[in-house]
Amino acid sequence: MTAPTSNYPDIRQDVIQLLTKTSEPDRMKHHILPVVNNALRLAERLNADAEVVELAAYFHDFTRITGDKANHHNSSADIAREFLEKYHYPEAKIRLVEDCIRHHRGSLDSPRNSVEEKIVCTADAMAHLQKPLPFFHKWYGRFQMSIDDGARETREKMERTWNKIQFDFVKEEMKDLYNYLMEILK
């Protein structure tokens, strides 16, 4: 693990405050905070930079929340950079936060070179499996899909999610939950 940045507590508090203003409480509860918690747990286990993965986890879907679904991995990384530069956060850590955000998406075949990038990608996938209610809300609530269509969309998302998990030990931990969800969605 790397030494903590001296102003990190202030940065962390301001990131949380920014997300609380920007995001719906349900999004924070059912996705962002689970990603952060998973990322921190994995960082500890894998001896990775906890600050980097925490910041990337907080920012990974930032512009998706504000409407940029297609390019949120890039635009969220740009927002994170702008935010962190204001605090004079170390440049090497900013680049790593950016890389984690840019490479977290499962629908893109982008390389994940650092352990931190792999952690954020995996933490996002874990949250999808642990908290699938947003997908049900999306397909059945917002899009008013039929039961079969919503189940198909959710099943396909869960398959992509499973494939983006970067660590075998996480797949082992999550396999019963994944299999249970896939059985429900048949």
Side-chain angles (χ1 to χ4, degrees):
M1 282 214 179
T2 59
T5 307
S6 61
N7 62 341
Y8 188 70
D10 294 331
I11 294 170
R12 183 182 181 278
Q13 188 58 42
D14 288 351
V15 169
I16 293 169
Q17 190 173 37
L18 176 64
L19 275 164
T20 302
K21 288 179 188 174
T22 307
S23 182
E24 299 167 352
D26 280 350
R27 179 116 180 130
M28 286 293 288
K29 176 182 176 183
H30 291 285
H31 187 63
I32 303 297
L33 294 177
V35 174
V36 169
N37 292 332
N38 290 328
L40 287 171
R41 183 174 66 85
L42 291 171
E44 183 176 342
R45 179 166 180 176
L46 297 166
N47 200 30
D49 190 318
E51 285 181 13
V52 166
V53 299
E54 184 175 27
L55 288 168
Y58 275 123
F59 275 112
H60 81 282
D61 276 353
F62 187 82
T63 59
R64 184 180 185 108
I65 294 166
T66 60
D68 185 6
K69 180 182 176 188
N71 193 44
H72 77 276
H73 55 291
N74 289 317
S75 56
S76 292
D78 295 341
I79 296 289
R81 169 172 280 286
E82 289 173 24
F83 181 90
L84 294 170
E85 284 177 340
K86 291 178 190 174
Y87 290 88
H88 307 289
Y89 198 62
E91 177 61 28
K93 287 190 174 203
I94 291 175
R95 280 195 309 272
L96 193 48
V97 168
E98 284 182 298
D99 289 343
C100 291
I101 297 167
R102 289 188 201 286
H103 301 143
H104 83 275
R105 290 189 67 182
S107 58
L108 301 175
D109 189 24
S110 60
R112 295 172 188 98
N113 299 313
S114 70
V115 68
E116 288 83 4
E117 289 171 82
K118 292 174 184 178
I119 285 171
V120 173
C121 180
T122 299
D124 188 37
M126 292 169 71
H128 291 165
L129 293 169
Q130 294 161 332
K131 299 278 189 173
L133 292 178
F135 299 110
F136 297 122
H137 173 69
K138 177 181 180 178
W139 304 125
Y140 299 125
R142 268 192 296 161
F143 294 138
Q144 300 288 304
M145 287 188 170
S146 71
I147 291 173
D148 289 339
D149 289 344
R152 185 190 73 256
E153 292 289 342
T154 305
R155 190 172 52 252
E156 289 172 3
K157 176 66 176 180
M158 291 300 149
E159 288 170 353
R160 288 190 307 274
T161 289
W162 182 254
N163 291 328
K164 76 184 241 182
I165 295 174
Q166 302 290 299
F167 304 103
D168 289 338
F169 75 90
V170 173
K171 280 196 171 186
E172 186 61 32
E173 289 174 12
M174 304 293 292
K175 79 176 176 190
D176 289 343
L177 178 57
Y178 174 74
N179 290 333
Y180 179 72
L181 286 169
M182 296 306 280
E183 184 65 28
I184 289 172
L185 295 167
K186 276 187 181 176

